[in-house]
Amino acid sequence: MAHSEHHHHSHSEISNTSAPSYFDVMEAAVQELLIEKGLIKPGEIRRQIEVLDSRTPALGAKVVARAWIDPEFRQRLLENGRAACEELDISFYDDTQLVVLENTPRVHNLVVCTLCSCYPRPVLGLPPDWYKLKPYRARAVYEPRAVLAEFGTHVPDDVEVRVSDSTAMVRYLVLPMRPESTEHLNEEQLAALVTRDSMIGVVPALNSDGGV
Amino acid sequence: MNELSQNDLSKSEQPVAALGEIPAFGPGDQVRILTRSPIGHYRVPSYLRGQRATVLSVVRPRAIDNEEEGYGKNAGWKGYYYRIAVPMASIWSSYNGSSSDRLQIDIFETWLAGE
Amino acid sequence: MSGSEHLLTRLPNDIGGLPADQISRVEHELEPWEKRCHALADVLDYHKIINTEEKRRGVEALGSEVIAHLSYYERWIAAFANILFEKGILTPEELARKMEAVEQNWAATLSEVERRMGS
């Protein structure tokens, strides 16, 4: 640590480049050693970074919008989430299955991973920090309505809250309800209404007037 | 030997599944999450130990027990996970919400017993 | 319970149902090394050098004190190092030497940049 701080101070006046942190150095060292030993190839890491960069909530939004306009696709999506996403050329780069949880006027779904940070990365990208931190993980399973309220979502008493604790080989994606007054919108415009948080289940999808 | 294999052929209409090949539970079955305290690694959160649950579905394909996978077992015998539902009100005695609110989770078969 | 067994029987990451603060909706763009670390995790799993479940177990094995103070990807890389030592794929000495070399390379690159900038 002292070593890298020394670099940082001695060069900071003339360069914005700050010394790599201890953990940054450790990551680089592990990677180099594994490459030298022939266990992984440098191109694999670069390629996987491209894979990660290409996965954003826009993919999940595309899936949701399609399900809103195409009832048969919606049916296939609810039966086998992974296969339906693959129809839209969204590949699953890992061994995970995808279960799509449909919100209805009677049911509100919420996804959490209490043990770590399981998340449908192929369709949403990497999770936000709050999803990985203790308050959300600890509380979502025993006071989901209070947690939802902190996101501004008030679920009426006659709507059943279903919390999915995602801990194994299945990942969960919430299919939010299509907001009202969106009949005139095309698929692309509908996709623009679908936020990441609505697919985690902490907020509803809203129309352009902010209505559900 | 010859006689035996002929007999086997004539009887082979019904294939016999290997142990563990057929799911032990199906949708609607009542199960109990076992109460045990492994150390080292587990994927059954403490807050659910001992709870009664309803099976929603069988997770396919089968998978390696994640307690063993955590120590580097990458191949070999696989078993089923079951997606189950537990009423929130039975997990938390002071649950503040609707009585129909529920928790859903996937639990490996070694952690479930029939009711 | 005699009082200490819960330190073993409740894993540090098993926090569902525990009292906790209000949710603060924090997010940050991953730093380059964090993204590299995530990509490394995926590649290690593809080759089953360290599978995803081993990574989770390796993080838990760091213990609650370390987990509480390290950031998300700091835990991952520390867990990877430990697991690679356990498997005999790397030795602590190798890693220490390589880390020193990485730092020296970085310093050398920086002085080259500074030289070109005419400092």
Side-chain angles (χ1 to χ4, degrees):
Chain A
M1 272 317 258
H3 196 58
S4 56
E5 273 167 26
H6 166 74
H7 282 301
H8 182 73
H9 291 304
S10 59
H11 300 289
S12 54
E13 312 91 308
I14 44 162
S15 166
N16 287 328
T17 320
S18 56
S21 75
Y22 180 81
F23 296 95
D24 184 338
V25 169
M26 194 192 291
E27 195 282 338
V30 167
Q31 207 184 111
E32 273 186 36
L33 285 167
L34 293 174
I35 289 167
E36 282 169 16
K37 288 169 191 285
L39 292 166
I40 63 173
K41 298 183 193 72
E44 290 181 279
I45 302 284
R46 284 199 300 272
R47 179 58 178 254
Q48 187 57 26
I49 288 175
E50 286 176 33
V51 171
L52 296 173
D53 283 342
S54 74
R55 305 309 173 114
T56 73
L59 296 172
K62 188 171 140 184
V63 173
V64 169
R66 175 65 59 88
W68 282 347
I69 60 165
D70 180 346
E72 285 171 12
F73 176 79
R74 180 179 143 278
Q75 201 52 44
R76 293 198 296 280
L77 182 67
L78 295 174
E79 273 160 23
N80 184 336
R82 177 169 170 152
C85 289
E86 284 166 347
E87 278 182 42
L88 302 185
D89 293 328
I90 301 168
S91 67
F92 279 62
Y93 57 79
D94 52 22
D95 294 330
T96 54
Q97 296 297 315
L98 184 74
V99 166
V100 175
L101 306 163
E102 186 184 32
N103 280 353
T104 70
R106 303 251 65 85
V107 173
H108 184 93
N109 285 284
L110 179 68
V111 180
V112 62
C113 172
T114 59
L115 293 178
C116 52
S117 52
C118 296
Y119 191 73
R121 295 167 206 253
V123 283
L124 290 189
L126 302 182
D129 289 334
W130 58 259
Y131 185 88
K132 306 190 282 189
L133 293 171
K134 183 175 178 181
Y136 183 75
R137 288 167 49 204
R139 293 175 54 215
V141 292
Y142 76 90
E143 45 180 6
R145 287 168 185 270
V147 165
L148 285 163
E150 282 170 34
F151 283 88
T153 305
H154 298 276
V155 180
D157 282 347
D158 60 345
V159 174
E160 178 180 327
V161 171
R162 292 181 185 167
V163 179
S164 289
D165 189 351
S166 148
T167 61
M169 53 188 289
V170 177
R171 299 291 176 270
Y172 293 94
L173 183 80
V174 174
L175 173 57
M177 282 193 287
R178 180 173 174 165
E180 282 180 8
S181 317
T182 54
E183 300 76 16
H184 59 292
L185 298 183
N186 65 29
E187 192 173 344
E188 212 174 300
Q189 293 167 322
L190 286 170
L193 303 178
V194 185
T195 62
R196 176 195 68 200
D197 291 0
S198 72
M199 294 180 280
I200 299 173
V202 289
V203 297
L206 302 175
N207 62 31
S208 51
D209 301 326
V212 290
Chain B
M1 269 314 261
N2 265 343
E3 228 171 89
L4 236 168
S5 45
Q6 272 181 356
N7 280 347
D8 281 353
L9 281 173
S10 64
K11 286 195 296 189
S12 65
E13 291 153 33
Q14 200 61 43
V16 175
L19 279 176
E21 199 180 348
I22 294 174
F25 309 110
D29 284 356
Q30 298 300 304
V31 293
R32 192 168 48 83
I33 303 169
L34 297 175
T35 302
R36 67 164 85 107
S37 302
I39 61 167
H41 191 55
Y42 58 76
R43 294 296 285 179
V44 177
S46 298
Y47 75 89
L48 283 173
R49 309 264 170 92
Q51 289 294 322
R52 292 186 153 75
T54 306
V55 174
L56 298 171
S57 60
V58 180
V59 176
R60 294 173 196 275
R62 282 191 289 168
I64 290 167
D65 181 348
N66 47 19
E67 289 174 13
E68 296 178 19
E69 206 181 4
Y71 288 90
K73 185 182 170 189
N74 291 313
W77 187 82
K78 293 178 176 181
Y80 286 100
Y81 282 92
Y82 297 87
R83 197 160 149 234
I84 62 170
V86 190
M88 284 288 188
S90 62
I91 309 173
W92 318 106
S93 52
S94 58
Y95 183 70
N96 190 8
S98 160
S99 59
S100 55
D101 289 359
R102 69 192 204 195
L103 188 289
Q104 301 180 167
I105 192 167
D106 309 312
I107 298 287
F108 197 67
E109 61 182 28
T110 50
W111 274 90
L112 296 176
E115 278 287 80
Chain C
M1 281 223 177
S2 72
S4 56
E5 57 264 50
H6 72 277
L7 294 170
L8 290 178
T9 58
R10 183 149 192 160
L11 296 176
N13 269 334
D14 184 5
I15 59 174
L18 298 184
D21 296 338
Q22 277 223 318
I23 291 150
S24 124
R25 285 154 82 172
V26 283
E27 340 200 347
H28 82 289
E29 277 290 313
L30 293 197
E31 289 177 28
W33 85 268
E34 294 180 306
K35 196 173 281 178
R36 279 185 350 244
C37 186
H38 197 107
L40 176 65
D42 289 339
V43 171
L44 288 171
D45 180 57
Y46 293 157
H47 293 291
K48 298 299 177 203
I49 297 169
I50 298 176
N51 72 41
T52 300
E53 206 62 50
E54 285 178 285
K55 177 193 70 192
R56 293 171 179 154
R57 196 258 306 162
V59 168
E60 286 155 355
L62 295 172
S64 50
E65 169 84 6
V66 172
I67 288 178
H69 290 96
L70 265 53
S71 73
Y72 188 76
Y73 288 105
E74 289 174 353
R75 295 172 207 147
W76 281 25
I77 194 61
F80 291 157
N82 284 334
I83 296 169
L84 292 167
F85 299 154
E86 284 161 16
K87 293 192 172 199
I89 293 174
L90 300 184
T91 66
E93 184 192 339
E94 260 179 320
L95 181 61
R97 284 181 185 278
K98 181 59 85 177
M99 286 178 70
E100 221 170 283
V102 167
E103 285 202 298
Q104 277 163 8
N105 275 344
W106 177 84
T109 310
L110 189 66
S111 14
E112 177 60 19
V113 169
E114 284 166 6
R115 194 184 58 75
R116 287 192 196 166
M117 286 167 68
S119 63

